[in-house]
Amino acid sequence: MTADAVQAAHRPSSALQLPQTFSGEIAATLRLAWPLVLTQLASMAIGTTDVLMLGRLGPDALAAAALGLSLFYLPMMFGFGLSSAVSPLLSQAIGADPHGLDPARRRADTANELRAQLRTALWAVTLAAVPAIVLLLFARPLFALLGQNAQASATASIYVLALIPALPFMLLIGVMRNLFSALSRPRPALYVTIAWIGVNALFNWIFIFGPFGFPALGVVGSGLATSCATIVSAAALALCVVYHPATRGIRPFEGLFRFESRRIARFVWLGLPIGMTLFFEGGVFNAALWLVGLFGTAELAGHQIAINIASLTFQVPLGIAFATTVRTGYAAGARDWAAVRRAGHAGMLLTFACMAVTAFVMWTWPYFIAGLYLDLGDQRAVVAAGFAAQYLMVAAVFQLADGQQVAAAFALRGLKDMNVPMWIAGLSYWAVGFPVGAALGFWTYLEGQGVWIGLAAGLAVAASLMTWRFEYLTRHRGRF
């Protein structure tokens, strides 16, 4: 027998039917990824709705909202990273069971493990929300410490207070989404998120502009709208978890109030590097916003538009990356090393193709895109749109690096490789991206554009090192 035949004979059988060809893995990844991509785009559409409605109030409102969100998203990104730790745990447990995706034939110990991991993750993110909320209560002095515009800081701090109730429910939603993704049933989360857009838009219209006698609360009203819509959506997704056929059999919320401190501590220890990785990445983008804010309100409004567009396009590779975590997790759980490499490379190829298209669009029509957010009849809006166009052209360049780094990082996540990617992120964004951006921003004429070039440099380094890490681990199989 050949070496390949011997390996195949000893490979565990799996009802998952891991593809044995690269084209087969591409197809399997796409089947799982497209609902996840749509869910991510729908999630961004929620925030984009906020930005579009606030844009009608002018650049000052956009700048205040951008400042508030920069602080709000910092602890939230850490919490999302923590919630993401449940995905490889669930995926590998499913991959180790020959019938892990079949509710009728799934082993009892697998169902128990899935339920325990879900319960642990829900407890972990709830506890993580507590210090995050305490931090956000001090928004105004933090903005003052960062030297931000006093008027924008005053509005932004109240906006952050209005957003606080949304934080724990956003993290709970993240855990439940990961459960559905690990079970290859991402559509319930998609449907709830699409409904979330409509609910959020309705609340925004009511609270921002004050129809039917309601008070017009402006920027603060947008924060209240987000909180209300998030709570409604979390309740809806919890009902899906209880009643969906794929999750009902694991009795998902049975023993929910059982507090298992050791299990929670182990989960936090595993999720901490993911949280720190997202904290490093989200932190450098927030720091970029604060740097750009020092150049003026128009620059800050332009930055908010450009970052919203870049974030929107990033949701496509991010959705593919979530699927890549699940696919590599299945393969690792089944101990099929060749399938691990196929899953990782399929995710990288798909993200490259998507980001190449969005980079072309952003490079070709930057000013037109910026004009979608602002009333170009207002001279101040024209200036802000000009800055947004400059930043979008830089964003077009770093699209490819951004897609590659997230695909490689999430492939590593499927292997439970958390610590080294955390250090790669810290080095890339804070030893390269931030210093380069600050130097170009303040020591050259580039200002905000220089800050964005620094972001591109950090992403390029992260993409290179994350890819190297995946290649190293999977070529030397058994190291993970």
Side-chain angles (χ1 to χ4, degrees):
M1 296 177 68
T2 65
D4 288 343
V6 171
Q7 182 182 11
H10 290 85
R11 183 178 296 146
S13 62
S14 175
L16 294 171
Q17 296 181 343
L18 296 172
Q20 298 303 301
T21 64
F22 187 67
S23 61
E25 183 58 47
I26 288 280
T29 301
L30 282 174
R31 282 195 299 272
L32 177 57
W34 74 260
L36 296 174
V37 169
L38 291 180
T39 301
Q40 291 304 124
L41 289 172
S43 299
M44 270 304 300
I46 297 167
T48 302
T49 300
D50 296 346
V51 173
L52 289 172
M53 288 190 169
L54 288 172
R56 300 303 100 185
L57 301 179
D60 290 343
L62 268 181
L67 194 58
L69 288 172
S70 71
L71 181 62
F72 179 78
Y73 280 134
L74 203 55
M76 194 186 75
M77 290 296 289
F78 176 82
F80 271 146
L82 192 63
S83 72
S84 297
V86 77
S87 183
L89 293 171
L90 297 174
S91 299
Q92 290 201 16
I94 292 167
D97 184 342
H99 305 289
L101 290 178
D102 186 347
R105 303 173 67 192
R106 182 185 296 141
R107 294 196 307 248
D109 63 316
T110 302
N112 292 337
E113 179 67 13
L114 296 178
R115 180 171 62 256
Q117 294 294 356
L118 173 65
R119 179 176 63 245
T120 302
L122 292 173
W123 268 108
V125 299
T126 301
L127 293 174
V130 176
I133 290 171
V134 173
L135 172 69
L136 295 176
L137 290 174
F138 294 92
R140 189 159 188 172
L142 287 171
F143 291 139
L145 187 64
L146 293 167
Q148 297 300 305
N149 177 275
Q151 183 177 353
S153 296
T155 304
S157 61
I158 302 173
Y159 175 58
V160 169
L161 293 177
L163 283 170
I164 284 177
L167 178 63
F169 292 96
M170 286 183 176
L171 300 183
L172 295 174
I173 287 172
V175 172
M176 291 185 284
R177 280 183 179 175
N178 277 297
L179 172 64
F180 279 117
S181 298
L183 293 167
S184 291
R185 298 293 190 276
R187 294 191 187 187
L190 171 60
Y191 299 149
V192 169
T193 307
I194 291 172
W196 190 355
I197 298 171
V199 173
N200 184 67
L202 175 62
F203 283 140
N204 263 286
W205 177 55
I206 292 172
F207 292 139
I208 293 176
F209 302 110
F212 311 124
F214 286 93
L217 300 176
V219 175
V220 176
S222 179
L224 289 174
T226 297
S227 290
C228 293
T230 302
I231 293 170
V232 171
S233 300
L237 193 55
L239 289 174
C240 291
V241 170
V242 170
Y243 292 109
H244 194 278
T247 52
R248 185 174 57 220
I250 68 173
R251 305 187 304 279
F253 296 130
E254 182 178 289
L256 179 62
F257 296 105
R258 185 186 306 162
F259 186 84
E260 300 171 290
S261 57
R262 290 186 179 179
R263 182 183 279 272
I264 293 171
R266 288 196 299 270
F267 181 89
V268 171
W269 185 251
L270 178 64
L272 185 63
I274 303 179
M276 289 304 300
T277 299
L278 293 183
F279 183 83
F280 286 143
E281 183 175 358
V284 78
F285 276 89
N286 285 349
L289 181 143
W290 296 330
L291 291 179
V292 173
L294 298 176
F295 301 126
T297 302
E299 287 89 338
L300 185 56
H303 176 91
Q304 175 63 5
I305 293 169
I307 203 68
N308 185 257
I309 291 295
S311 299
L312 182 63
T313 60
F314 180 69
Q315 301 314 303
V316 178
L318 183 58
I320 296 171
F322 277 123
T324 302
T325 295
V326 174
R327 297 296 306 171
T328 55
Y330 287 166
R335 315 305 288 173
D336 188 334
W337 318 124
V340 168
R341 285 181 61 79
R342 278 194 295 272
H345 291 158
M348 293 176 197
L349 178 62
L350 289 170
T351 58
F352 179 87
C354 293
M355 291 306 250
V357 173
T358 58
F360 174 79
V361 173
M362 291 165 65
W363 179 268
T364 308
W365 298 288
Y367 192 78
F368 171 79
I369 295 170
L372 297 175
Y373 286 79
L374 294 166
D375 178 7
L376 297 182
D378 181 344
Q379 182 56 39
R380 292 189 308 157
V382 170
V383 175
F387 284 117
Q390 291 179 17
Y391 306 152
L392 280 170
M393 293 185 73
V394 180
V397 175
F398 74 51
Q399 290 282 287
L400 296 177
D402 206 6
Q404 179 63 22
Q405 67 84 18
V406 75
F410 277 56
L412 290 169
R413 191 175 296 177
L415 307 180
K416 298 182 185 177
D417 183 46
M418 316 294 191
N419 290 313
V420 172
M422 175 187 70
W423 291 110
I424 289 174
L427 171 69
S428 302
Y429 301 130
W430 288 99
V432 178
F434 182 77
V436 170
L440 293 176
F442 289 98
W443 296 344
T444 73
Y445 66 92
L446 293 171
E447 294 190 338
Q449 196 171 24
V451 173
W452 276 73
I453 291 172
L455 293 177
L459 288 167
V461 173
S464 300
L465 293 179
M466 294 289 189
T467 304
W468 165 82
R469 177 67 176 172
F470 179 80
E471 294 299 318
Y472 175 78
L473 286 183
T474 56
R475 285 184 184 278
H476 299 79
R477 65 191 187 191
R479 290 182 181 267
F480 54 87

